[in-house]
Amino acid sequence: MSTKVAVIGSGNIGTDLMIKVLRLSETLEIAALAGIDPDSDGLARARRLKVATTPEGVEGLVRLDEFADVGIVFDATSAGAHRRHDEVLRPLGRTLVDLTPAAVGPFVVPPVNGDAHLDAPNVNMVTCGGQATIPVIAAVGAVTPVHYGEIVASIASRSAGPGTRANIDEFTETTSSAIEQVGGAARGKAIIVLNPAEPPLIMRDTVHCLVSDCDEEAVTASVEEMVGRVQAYVPGYRLKQKVQFDRVRADDPLRALAPDATDLSGASGTSDALKVSVFLEVEGAAHYLPAYAGNLDIMTSAALRTAERMAAHRAKEAAE
């Protein structure tokens, strides 16, 4: 039996997520789309697809007859609005999958810790940059400790809507925290670049990890395996080139990026460290968003995967 879900946010992200549920999911069923702009394309699209709608936000959602059967609610609005939505929906027993940087609930990146919070009442999908890069940091960390992890997410300016632009500070703070908490880096940093190029360029992500001297082939194999795991639900996710390694000598200023007193000595006894650089590209599936908006596509794809895992887990528990 399918799990019924609702989406709050009738903008690009919420509409794309609704369409993904309709087209791709065998275990989720879209019951309603809520927005605050009665003239939004998302609400109009939902009505044409025979999905219940309301232009009155979360308050309108809970008044819909269809809400009674909803088990999971996706929030594709803003960090500030999400806190209000959590206050309304959590007492009603609904699970929230949060696509904003609010970080009310624990961070979830599907191929890294997708099964860790299946019973949580609220989970946070970090950010588009986090979903694209944290799997790589975790893959490096599976071979050798990551003393410092830095990511740069470059997205087309056209794909950055008002929600993204209003939450730039939250984006960097949330992603930096998740690099440490989920990716496992001792210290993390995140940078976002809005690229105004025309025609728009697809999402590009750069990951730099400072690690002790280690087995480079093992790191490469771990990163490539992780890329394959992400591709299972984001087909447009790919490496742009081979994983790069640069020696970081004892007197290199880069070593200061590691936390104080961190020993960067490698297993071989050398005082050298390594900078691991991974270059990624994310092309969207263009279900509703344009293909260059890979930053939004990876968020909706990760949210869909997370909700499906939650639904499967709960169905299994109910059967037992």
Side-chain angles (χ1 to χ4, degrees), residues 153-205:
S154 177
I155 66 174
S157 183
R158 275 202 202 177
S159 70
T164 299
R165 294 174 186 275
N167 291 309
I168 292 294
D169 288 346
E170 289 88 348
F171 175 98
T172 56
E173 293 166 4
T174 296
T175 309
S176 297
S177 295
I179 288 171
E180 298 170 2
Q181 295 178 32
V182 182
R187 177 178 292 173
K189 181 178 180 180
I191 300 168
I192 183 172
V193 177
L194 303 186
N195 191 330
E198 292 289 345
L201 299 178
I202 66 175
M203 184 186 196
R204 300 282 177 87
D205 296 281

Side-chain angles (χ1 to χ4, degrees), residues 74-94:
F74 297 99
D75 191 340
T77 58
S78 68
H82 176 73
R83 296 180 181 91
R84 167 63 179 159
H85 299 159
D86 182 66
E87 291 175 357
V88 172
L89 295 171
R90 193 184 296 219
L92 299 177
R94 289 350 187 243

Side-chain angles (χ1 to χ4, degrees), residues 305-320:
R305 173 59 62 96
T306 298
E308 287 178 332
R309 283 185 172 178
M310 286 179 153
H313 171 69
R314 293 170 189 186
K316 181 180 178 180
E317 284 194 331
E320 294 173 350

Side-chain angles (χ1 to χ4, degrees), residues 247-256 264-265 270-274:
R247 290 279 160 186
V248 180
R249 305 297 181 187
D251 59 349
D252 194 310
L254 280 177
R255 297 173 76 98
L264 298 181
S265 298
T270 176
S271 61
D272 286 355
L274 287 176

Side-chain angles (χ1 to χ4, degrees), residues 89-103:
L89 295 171
R90 193 184 296 219
L92 299 177
R94 289 350 187 243
T95 296
L96 282 87
V97 176
D98 176 20
L99 287 83
T100 81

Side-chain angles (χ1 to χ4, degrees), residues 1 62 74 90 126 136 143 160 182 205 217 225 253 255 314-315:
M1 187 174 74
V62 300
F74 297 99
R90 193 184 296 219
V126 195
V136 169
V143 177
V182 182
D205 296 281
E217 291 185 0
E225 189 271 338
R255 297 173 76 98
R314 293 170 189 186

